[in-house]
Amino acid sequence: MREIVIVGGGYAGFYTAWRLEKTLRRSEARVTVVDPRPYMTYQPFLPEVTAGSVEARHAAVSLRRHLRRTRLIAGSVTEIRNAGRTVTVRLANGADQRLRYDVLVVTAGAVTRTFPVPGVAEQAIGLKHVEEAVAIRDRLMTAFDQAGSLPPGPERRKLLTVTFVGGGFSGVEGFGELLSLATAMLKSYPELSIDDLQFHLVEAQGRILPEVGNKAGAWVVDSLERRGARVHLNTQLVSAEHGHVVLSDGEEFDSALIVWTAGNASNPVVHNHTDLPVDERGLLMVRPDLRVGTGSEPVPGVWAAGDDAAVPDLASPVPGAYTVPNAQHAVRQAKRLAKNIVASLRGGRIRHYRHSSLGVVATLGLGRGIFQYKRIVIKGFPAWLMHRGYHVLAVPTWERKVRVLSVWFTAALFGRDLVSLLSVQHPRKAFVNGGEPDRSDASEAHPQPSRRPAVSSAPPNNRA
């Protein structure tokens, strides 16, 4: 029986395995998915998770529940050696396991790209995983509780200052949703006012949301600033040590919550730990039919899709263009990839991937959004409805669609659920303290990330 190994259980990996399950006969091949997380994250919902509009678990699609005929291995791929047709997996207990394959699918996904800015590794948090979105929401809500008991001054100001670095889709959507949440929370905190909130969006380029037109991007900036936010264009983060933000335009302020969304970097296993061909960006070189390799030399039995694959964009009028690394392409590439794998196993015709964009849509907070398809631009509430409609259709499985819709319906009736569960990040604290007052440093109210993010010297990339 042929062995098909899929590296990564994100969009592309999940949908590839899902389609292969539906198409392959049981005796035809065995499919294995390797991923350290037991779920696929539906990333477009993460900004709404930060705002409490979507439950965290509803943005996570269980791999075991929906991939019933696929072997799942909880671990991280540390090395790919196509010369020996092997993949090395680091399991949760630290042991290494070597898998042999006949067909390899690389859908490892991108990682958050950071730069060696002082204080970022210690203070900032990303917005790529469900855990991060939940932590951002809980930290903001805990900051409100703490600020409500403090007199006006620097300490209160720092608690209610939020800084997002990166003006791509992830950053702008997360920023807009969190601003919407903070504004709504003021109704429950009469001791605080809108003047106490300080929201800063920092972008190194001269515009935000590069996927939309200049006018649409300028409208988004104006919309955010009319809601009380500050958008710093052509500005870089110089330092964030101890929560003290220093910007390249000379402005300085203290910020208790710093969110880093300044682009993606290729997965280290693809960039550094494989003998497969990669380009100067560290992405796998992929042919139009999604096989790894060049136009004249495909790598037999190896396929790739998603954020780590340089897939030629045949629908683009620009020669040599590559598909944008977003969810829309990842899902559609996975469906074509699964069909091509089955065709290759059965001696059928392998087809090229070609997909014209359906447009881009973004949420800017509850009841606010923007949509653009070519020259058509829709703003405000209609665009927000389109955002919700599109993504509830796009999230996989009817079970997840129903759960998300039920949360939206409940919120429409009763409003937001304004409860912070930050304490779940320290579940043993009450047990260990035995009822004694907590005398730990106040900074523990905003715990730091447990892992240092990877540092890259590559230029910024704010593509969603």
Side-chain angles (χ1 to χ4, degrees):
M1 182 182 295
R2 295 182 179 92
E3 294 285 346
I4 301 175
V5 174
I6 301 175
V7 178
Y11 287 116
F14 172 82
Y15 275 96
T16 299
W18 206 20
R19 285 301 178 103
L20 288 175
E21 277 195 354
K22 296 177 180 180
T23 309
L24 290 173
R25 295 183 291 271
R26 289 184 180 273
S27 60
E28 203 166 4
R30 180 171 69 166
V31 179
T32 299
V33 172
V34 182
D35 197 284
R37 288 178 170 82
Y39 55 83
M40 183 272 279
T41 302
Y42 191 73
Q43 292 186 353
F45 276 157
L46 293 187
E48 293 198 69
V49 171
T50 67
S53 299
V54 171
E55 286 292 328
R57 285 185 175 86
H58 298 170
V61 180
S62 170
L63 298 181
R64 290 197 176 274
R65 178 167 185 171
H66 300 291
L67 299 179
R68 299 179 181 274
R69 291 174 49 197
T70 298
R71 179 174 64 153
L72 300 173
I73 296 180
S76 300
V77 173
T78 59
E79 187 178 53
I80 298 173
R81 286 290 169 252
N82 189 58
R85 312 294 280 182
T86 61
V87 167
T88 303
V89 181
R90 180 69 48 83
L91 303 177
N93 62 3
D96 286 341
Q97 179 179 350
R98 185 165 293 178
L99 303 178
R100 296 191 62 83
Y101 62 82
D102 299 295
V103 177
L104 176 67
V105 179
V106 183
T107 55
V111 298
T112 300
R113 176 169 53 201
T114 62
F115 302 90
V117 177
V120 165
E122 294 76 22
Q123 300 293 328
I125 184 170
L127 185 52
K128 186 172 283 293
H129 302 292
V130 172
E131 303 92 329
E132 294 171 323
V134 172
I136 290 169
R137 176 175 183 264
D138 286 344
R139 291 184 191 189
L140 178 70
M141 300 185 78
T142 299
F144 264 73
D145 289 334
Q146 295 173 347
S149 61
L150 295 174
E155 192 172 354
R156 177 197 272 191
R157 190 179 307 113
K158 179 178 181 179
L159 285 168
L160 297 180
T161 299
V162 175
T163 305
F164 271 65
V165 183
F169 262 81
S170 179
V172 172
E173 288 191 312
F175 185 79
E177 286 286 350
L178 208 63
L179 176 61
S180 178
L181 172 63
T183 305
M185 287 177 62
L186 289 173
K187 299 176 183 178
S188 302
Y189 293 83
E191 58 270 46
L192 302 176
S193 71
I194 190 67
D195 295 330
D196 292 313
L197 296 180
Q198 300 291 324
F199 271 67
H200 297 266
L201 176 62
V202 181
E203 168 54 41
Q205 306 300 317
R207 53 165 300 176
I208 61 175
L209 296 181
E211 291 85 353
V212 303
N214 289 332
K215 289 185 179 180
W219 178 86
V220 173
V221 171
D222 182 64
S223 174
L224 292 173
E225 292 187 334
R226 280 189 278 109
R227 293 161 60 189
R230 290 279 308 280
V231 180
H232 305 263
L233 299 178
N234 294 312
T235 305
Q236 296 179 337
L237 178 65
V238 175
S239 175
E241 290 186 296
H242 308 294
H244 183 71
V245 173
V246 180
L247 303 180
S248 61
D249 62 3
E251 188 166 352
E252 299 184 25
F253 51 86
D254 291 329
S255 180
L257 179 56
I258 301 172
V259 183
W260 183 277
T261 62
N264 296 325
S266 62
N267 195 295
V269 70
V270 172
H271 193 279
N272 302 318
H273 305 291
T274 181
D275 56 356
L276 295 172
V278 297
D279 64 13
E280 66 280 359
R281 297 170 297 169
L283 302 178
L284 286 169
M285 299 174 67
V286 177
R287 293 156 51 95
D289 59 12
L290 301 177
R291 283 184 289 182
V292 172
T294 62
S296 59
E297 296 184 16
V299 179
V302 181
W303 309 75
D307 291 354
D308 277 322
V311 180
D313 190 352
L314 301 184
S316 173
V318 180
Y322 295 99
T323 58
V324 177
N326 60 19
Q328 189 178 137
H329 278 298
V331 171
R332 287 162 175 78
Q333 287 171 8
K335 294 176 181 179
R336 169 47 55 196
L337 194 156
K339 291 178 181 178
N340 281 353
I341 290 176
V342 173
S344 70
L345 295 178
R346 297 175 179 173
R349 180 184 175 187
I350 298 175
R351 300 177 182 271
H352 288 176
Y353 170 75
R354 183 186 183 94
H355 171 69
S356 298
S357 174
L358 301 176
V360 292
V361 62
T363 174
L364 304 175
L366 192 63
R368 301 176 177 90
I370 187 165
F371 166 83
Q372 180 170 339
Y373 176 70
K374 297 182 178 179
R375 295 185 178 181
I376 301 173
V377 178
I378 300 175
K379 306 170 185 175
F381 185 73
W384 176 77
L385 285 178
M386 294 173 69
H387 175 273
R388 286 204 159 182
Y390 173 79
H391 285 299
V392 79
L393 290 174
V395 68
T397 80
W398 279 103
E399 170 254 342
R400 275 294 176 266
K401 299 179 197 296
V402 172
R403 290 183 187 275
V404 171
L405 283 171
S406 66
V407 172
W408 285 343
F409 179 73
T410 303
L413 288 178
F414 302 108
R416 299 173 188 264
D417 192 357
L418 303 179
V419 178
S420 170
L421 296 178
L422 187 65
S423 59
V424 302
Q425 298 181 32
H426 304 276
R428 297 184 64 252
K429 181 174 287 188
F431 173 74
V432 173
N433 289 347
E436 290 291 330
D438 186 4
R439 304 182 187 281
S440 60
D441 188 87
S443 64
E444 290 192 11
H446 297 275
Q448 310 306 327
S450 60
R451 292 186 302 169
R452 232 185 130 82
V455 174
S456 170
S457 58
N461 180 353
N462 291 327
R463 295 185 299 177

